[in-house]
Amino acid sequence: MRAPGGRPLREHDEIAPRPVVTRPARESAVIAPRRVGGLWNRAAAVGVLAAAGIAGWWPVFGSGLLWAVPIAVVACLAVGRALSVRTAAALLAVWMPASLLLAGLPVSVLRPRALGGTGSSLRDGLSAIADASGARIVGDPWALAVALLALGFTWVVAALLTTRGPGPTLTAVLILVYPILAAILLQSTPANAAWHGVILLAAAMLWSTRGRLAIALPAAALVSLVAVGGAQAFGPHERWINFTGSPLQPAFSRLDPTQSYGPLTSRRTGATMLEITSPEPALWRMQALEDFDGNGFGFARERDELPQPAAVPVTTKVRIVGLENRTIAAPGRITAVESDDGEPSRGESWRLTKTPRAGDTYTVTSEVVHATAEQLAKVPMPSGDEYDPYTRLWPRRLQRGAPYGADPLATPLPRWLDGTPWGEAIQLARRLSAGTTGELEVVRRVEDYLNSGRFRYTTDVADPGPDPLLDFLFKTRAGYCQHFAGAATLLLRLAGVPTRVVSGFATGKRTGETTYAVRDKDAHAWIEVYFPGYGWVPFNPTPASADADVAPETDVLASGGGNGGAGQGSALFGVFGLGALAAAVFFVRRRRRGAGIALGEVLVRLTPEAGPSTTLTALRPRLAAIGPSVAALAEEAERARFAADGTPEPRHPRLRVWRALVRDLGTLRATRAVLRSVA
């Protein structure tokens, strides 16, 4: 051996110990930063998968899922070791009750005495998610609470598993992916959308790279570009990216039974969804919406069915063409589905046990109520607690002074309602139901009011506000079938008539003696009114200008005749001819008396209730129900009659009444009113 400098080693030379570099020290100097970077990479992957889970369930719950963001952040911090295991577990324990409150449930559901009912309601919420089959759930806080609970538990438990070794870490990955897979399996999101694969690949790249962001990010970007490019080149054209600036809506393939009152989210091209064989035309209902949450109507969790004494069994055969819903379409209340292929669901609906494919068929037996207008006209306004769920407009737990109906409120309106949109709606319902005790007459008046020309049918609507139905009635006066059906139900319930909204498909095009082609344009919403002694009877308050093809036989108030065709022009010509004749009689009647007829006398003739001694004052509510123009004429006539300053009677009273009728009702309905007055 030699000493430093190269000379030979001598006996008295001291040998300095050589520094020993241990393997752990070297690894700690090199691997520790990468390990930390790998942890935060995995935290980023958790964030990506959590965002994907929220996006997958967004079509069902909407903005309510944003309450899950804080617990997703907790999961990311736990994976990055910024939170200890104990802290993350404690926050998960807090999340359990917090999710119920964030979903909009009262604090009382957390009391020890209420835990049994809370557990049962959570099970109902879970069933509601499955029954919705991807449709938007409105007004069900229990379903949202289940979603928040499940997401928070999934994310945090997966984060805690990452601290337990390779085996649990792999399990954690599978748990994190589960919300996306569940969204696909339950049809919350299209199974053939490209973004699912992009998200999973990007998360896998982040999870597997140990701190090498310089590799992970470009690789994830490359994978995303390849996936999007492949979807653009080989995917369905309706899913292409639209570079014009306005998003291209996907083609219609699923019916959302709930009511959003907003813009349509899919394109209607006239494609056939179902082929139905039935002995009679019908409105093919899929779900009844009976609960009102202040904004719109949704299905009830549990409710006893009202009897239908006048119902008869009808068997229909349905062939799937393009529809992807599991919910079964039928002309009435379903009682059986052939071969046990269906099971009862919510909102008096049934659903198939498996997702249908094109070409699948099912045969269904349902109860259909048969009744004529003459029979229903004899039914008085119902009374009894059993009808309360169908006339109430607010859940009992949310009432807090909110109106149940028009009858329990004092006249005049309380101060807290006077001058508000709710007050206007109650007053309108009172005007439309004044002077009659029959259900059918109230339904007729509401239908006439919504089809009087005051309201315009259009699918070009803006995003709904907090009170979409009140806005439709008193502000925009424009909407589609959801608006007309919801507004009709609102007014009828305020008048004390048990009513519900029904969602499904209109009759469609008749292709044979007993066959109908139901298209995407026939997706429709209408109302059903309960008549004691008969059952639920459908009515269609949406104007005839709607895209849905509704057979007149489905509404007892609709006039007979076919839809469209050459005969329609002749019928329309005949109506106008009768209108001209009626107008002529209206103008020349009693002219031989010599004296000019008073405006009030002309107005009184418009009401069938008028008798020889009926006064204009007594008929003012009935005249006001016709429309604002006629109501204004009634006030003018009353002022002229009792004026003390010698104010003369208005000139040309018949012409003025005719013009007011046309403004309020439109030409056709004005003609009907004149015909009734001269009959």
Side-chain angles (χ1 to χ4, degrees), residues 174-236:
L174 298 177
I175 292 175
L176 289 168
V177 174
Y178 181 75
I180 308 173
L181 297 179
I184 297 173
L185 293 174
L186 292 177
Q187 304 178 13
S188 168
T189 182
N192 57 346
W195 68 269
H196 303 121
V198 175
I199 289 292
L200 293 177
L201 287 173
M205 294 296 297
L206 287 170
W207 191 276
S208 60
T209 54
R210 298 174 59 86
R212 298 183 179 89
L213 288 176
I215 299 176
L217 295 181
L222 179 61
V223 169
S224 301
L225 289 174
V226 171
V228 173
Q232 286 289 102
F234 306 107

Side-chain angles (χ1 to χ4, degrees), residues 381-383 387 390-391 405-407 439 491-499:
M381 295 286 288
S383 60
Y387 308 117
Y390 307 99
T391 56
D407 293 340
E439 265 194 288
L491 293 174
L492 288 170
R493 286 193 174 192
L494 285 172
V497 177
T499 314

Side-chain angles (χ1 to χ4, degrees), residues 52-68 99 102-104 121-151 155 179 182-184 186-189 256 258 260 293 295 299:
I54 292 177
W57 286 102
W58 189 275
V60 175
F61 297 103
S63 59
L65 287 180
L66 292 178
W67 290 116
S99 58
L102 293 174
S121 298
L122 287 173
R123 288 193 297 272
D124 290 342
L126 182 60
S127 299
I129 296 173
D131 292 344
S133 298
R136 188 175 180 85
I137 298 177
V138 178
D140 193 344
W142 289 105
L144 178 58
V146 170
L148 295 177
L149 271 171
L151 289 176
W155 297 334
I184 297 173
L186 292 177
Q187 304 178 13
S188 168
T189 182
D256 183 355
T258 56
S260 67
D293 66 351
N295 296 325
F299 56 80

Side-chain angles (χ1 to χ4, degrees), residues 288-417:
L289 309 175
E290 300 166 347
D291 276 358
F292 184 77
D293 66 351
N295 296 325
F297 291 89
F299 56 80
R301 288 197 297 271
E302 290 184 5
R303 184 160 294 167
D304 294 334
E305 296 178 350
L306 294 177
Q308 299 195 121
V312 297
V314 174
T315 301
T316 56
K317 183 178 180 180
V318 181
R319 179 177 179 270
I320 304 295
V321 179
L323 192 67
E324 297 179 358
N325 288 73
R326 292 169 60 191
T327 309
I328 294 174
R333 179 184 290 170
I334 298 174
T335 57
V337 178
E338 188 181 73
S339 302
D340 296 328
D341 288 336
E343 57 187 7
S345 185
R346 297 174 181 273
E348 280 197 9
S349 67
W350 282 49
R351 65 174 185 171
L352 299 171
T353 55
K354 298 179 181 179
T355 302
R357 298 180 179 180
D360 290 351
T361 61
Y362 57 84
T363 301
V364 57
T365 302
S366 55
E367 295 179 343
V368 179
V369 175
H370 286 169
T372 64
E374 291 74 16
Q375 292 172 325
L376 299 180
K378 301 175 183 178
V379 179
M381 295 286 288
S383 60
D385 294 340
E386 65 270 28
Y387 308 117
D388 182 65
Y390 307 99
T391 56
R392 189 173 65 238
L393 287 173
W394 296 81
R396 288 190 184 277
R397 66 179 185 276
L398 299 177
Q399 62 181 38
R400 297 179 184 175
Y404 273 72
D407 293 340
L409 297 174
T411 304
L413 290 175
R415 288 185 178 180
W416 61 275
L417 275 177

